[in-house]
Amino acid sequence: MDTIASLFSFITYPVSWIIVQFHSMYGAIFGESSGWAWGLSIVSLVILIRICLIPLFVKQIKATRGMQALQPKMKAIQERYKNDKQRQSEEMMKLYKETGTNPLSSCLPILAQSPFFFALYHVLSNIADGKAVGAMDQQLVDSARAAKIFGAPIAAKFMDSPEKVAALGATLTDVRIVTAVMIIMMSLSQFYTQRQLMQKNVDLSVKTPFMQQQKMLMYIFPLIFAVMGINFPVGVLVYWLTTNVWTMGQQMYVINQNPTPGSKAQDQYLTRLLKQITSHGELKGRGKKRVVSAIVAKGPDRNDNERKFIAALSKQGMAAQADGSVIKSVEATADSDAASGGAAKRQQPKRQSKSQRQTPSKPAPKK
């Protein structure tokens, strides 16, 4: 890990400089050597990085959905050229080019984060050794070495020896308890994020090997992070736990507001949209109108969720328009106009009984 981290030493200075700037702010509140000051500095670094990566996250969503949509075609190419791997690769590349899809786009946020992650690891390793690094002079390094999060120094690791932990002013028991809890939380948050994606935001109408791969990753990734976590300093665990929580919240927002077509999340979203239209008699919000407009534009290519939504609107006497607005349908308006028109409906005569029909009516008396 130290060898890999050294490869990203070129970004060590900007990462350490950002941490120092946040520490100067939090240190004035909690104290320079406080674990809160240094811990919140690392959390703020994560938030700053993730905000900058939002455009890449949007590309990741589009790429993932594009890959899901291409799975049936990719499977057909694999079956057609199963004995010709070169032709198979050429057809795959041709498919990616025609659709403008890049498989690597789904990994962009993780790849973009990697240099910052390893740079932070490099910074914390130097702090553990008591060496000045990047923008952190010896005084700041000594301050960081004294900082503890729930009794564990931010530069300590689960696998550190008792002597090394003692040199940082802590006990091995405290370090292992804190790191073990953080590793478990880190792994669980990773698992829940992937599980949430698989259960709610995958097109259930398309059964492909891609879905099986995603299910495997749902279990493999948390295990990888758990094994790697025992070699991470506490500060790096804070970084990765924070980024997992951010990813989980960001994904939850996307699932609720912009679900994958054909997914369970889309069905739930359209159900909420229908309730809003029914209660208010109209649709408000540009984002929601864009969703309805896209559904209208699909026409006969709508999925089951979208067809159910359009049918439910029709039952309510409503119709979705091309601009995303929802109005009363023509049939419902015509019935309403006829019911409330000036001409009263002709009253039907009351039905007579058999005895009444057989009894002759009495003539009117003469005046």
Side-chain angles (χ1 to χ4, degrees), residues 18-33:
I18 293 171
I19 292 175
V20 168
Q21 302 311 307
F22 281 122
H23 175 260
S24 63
M25 178 177 65
Y26 294 121
I29 301 172
F30 301 103
E32 290 187 359
S33 299

Side-chain angles (χ1 to χ4, degrees), residues 1-45:
M1 183 66 74
D2 292 306
T3 305
I4 299 174
S6 63
L7 297 175
F8 295 92
S9 57
F10 66 91
I11 203 174
T12 297
Y13 189 89
V15 167
S16 59
W17 184 85
I18 293 171
I19 292 175
V20 168
Q21 302 311 307
F22 281 122
H23 175 260
S24 63
M25 178 177 65
Y26 294 121
I29 301 172
F30 301 103
E32 290 187 359
S33 299
S34 167
W36 284 103
W38 286 103
L40 287 173
S41 298
I42 295 171
V43 170
S44 299
L45 171 68

